[in-house]
Amino acid sequence: DITLENKADRRKTLECAYYTEPVLGVNRDTARHIQAAHHSETCLLLHNPYNTAVPCHMALSGKSPLPVEARMTTDRAAFLRGDWQTADIDPTGDPCAALLLSLSLAPDQSVTIRFTLAWGAPAESACRMATDSLA
């Protein structure tokens, strides 16, 4: 959980990101095979079909009680250079998994944002764990 508070005397727009470099396999060399999909507006699902020893899915999800604009990316280079507008979920040879939430806070307003990273053998299990923990 992350709690943000606007102590300014004017409305602030904030961006908060959860970033990870998933492998979903034996080592980082196989990460280039990762596939990604939107599960919902705020849930990113990843899978590495190259990993046949432990078939699994990873789900990254986020939630805020305030309205948010959610973006997802799997482009590691774009994320690290600050190009957060590239909402590309087609993984490159060097992928990441990032969920970005943009929200607006009024003066003296605070909000708690929750990010969840879950793992499950079937995709449905990973998504359910990631989204149910946000309830």
Side-chain angles (χ1 to χ4, degrees):
D1 291 358
I2 300 167
T3 300
L4 304 170
E5 184 177 356
N6 181 5
K7 294 188 177 189
D9 58 355
R10 60 184 169 81
R11 180 169 288 280
K12 295 271 189 172
T13 300
L14 306 167
E15 289 183 312
C16 196
Y18 187 106
Y19 170 90
T20 185
E21 294 181 10
V23 173
L24 299 172
V26 176
N27 59 44
R28 185 84 176 131
D29 293 338
T30 65
R32 68 179 181 268
H33 300 289
I34 288 176
Q35 299 172 349
H38 285 102
H39 175 263
S40 67
E41 181 182 329
T42 59
C43 186
L44 176 63
L45 181 66
L46 293 110
H47 171 67
N48 187 342
Y50 188 84
N51 178 7
T52 57
V54 182
C56 61
H57 291 79
M58 180 188 102
L60 175 59
S61 190
K63 183 178 179 180
S64 166
L66 296 177
V68 296
E69 175 191 339
R71 291 183 314 281
M72 302 170 195
T73 188
T74 59
D75 186 339
R76 181 175 179 264
F79 180 87
L80 293 177
R81 74 174 169 260
D83 183 6
W84 292 9
Q85 300 306 317
T86 302
D88 180 13
I89 66 158
D90 186 19
T92 61
D94 187 15
C96 74
L99 175 61
L100 305 108
L101 301 180
S102 178
L103 60 118
S104 181
L105 285 178
D108 295 318
Q109 186 178 24
S110 66
V111 65
T112 299
I113 298 171
R114 172 172 282 178
F115 289 102
T116 302
L117 179 65
W119 175 91
E124 298 78 26
S125 176
C127 291
R128 188 174 47 255
M129 285 187 286
T131 56
D132 287 356
S133 69
L134 297 174

